[in-house]
Amino acid sequence: MKKLIMFLIMASLLISGCSKSFSGTRENGTFEQNDDSIFLRHSLMDGEYSKKIKLDEGEYRIKINSKSDKGKIKIIVKDKAGEEVINEENPEKFEKIVKVDKSSEFDVEIIGEDHGGVLELYWNIK
């Protein structure tokens, strides 16, 4: 029974790790993600968070709101071909309309360098 439980825990970790990952250090923070948003609040983030998001065909409004108390935070969004759709560093307020011709996955990278503060990233159909 113990082996079965360990197998299920390891399998769920492997499956959940396919779509998102974090490497680095985060201290005193809150992290929330939904189907259409990511919210981070921390006293220190020194590392990289990545997530794959699937967007169906349509026009999407991508919004970023952030407040940095220290350090840098960078947000990069790449399409399936690896082209950067967004590349913003320490954006207080940012908004862009992105047209998706057919359903596709996008890579979202959030890179913190000794960063303390708040980041909100939203994507929704226009």
Side-chain angles (χ1 to χ4, degrees), residues 53-64 75-81 83-88 94-108 121-126:
I53 60 173
K54 184 174 181 181
L55 300 180
D56 293 326
E57 182 178 336
E59 286 190 350
Y60 288 80
R61 175 174 283 123
I62 298 177
K63 290 182 176 183
I64 302 170
I75 297 89
I76 301 169
V77 178
K78 295 179 184 175
D79 64 15
K80 192 172 185 174
E83 297 286 323
E84 288 184 356
V85 176
I86 294 174
N87 186 336
E88 291 292 314
F94 174 85
E95 186 172 317
K96 183 175 183 175
I97 302 297
V98 175
K99 186 176 180 184
V100 178
D101 293 328
K102 64 178 187 173
S103 293
S104 184
E105 283 191 342
F106 289 76
D107 291 318
V108 176
L121 171 62
Y122 303 95
W123 55 93
N124 53 27
I125 198 120
K126 183 180 163 196

Side-chain angles (χ1 to χ4, degrees), residues 11-70:
S12 67
L13 289 173
L14 287 172
I15 290 169
S16 67
C18 294
S19 62
K20 63 184 182 200
S21 68
F22 178 77
S23 62
T25 303
R26 283 192 64 235
E27 294 177 2
N28 302 324
T30 301
F31 173 82
E32 296 173 22
Q33 66 177 13
N34 297 301
D35 292 337
D36 63 351
S37 64
I38 297 171
F39 175 79
L40 299 168
R41 175 181 307 220
H42 46 259
S43 61
L44 172 69
M45 178 179 166
D46 200 18
E48 181 177 320
Y49 169 80
S50 61
K51 175 180 175 69
K52 287 191 181 295
I53 60 173
K54 184 174 181 181
L55 300 180
D56 293 326
E57 182 178 336
E59 286 190 350
Y60 288 80
R61 175 174 283 123
I62 298 177
K63 290 182 176 183
I64 302 170
N65 297 313
S66 71
K67 180 180 181 290
S68 297
D69 298 326
K70 67 175 184 173

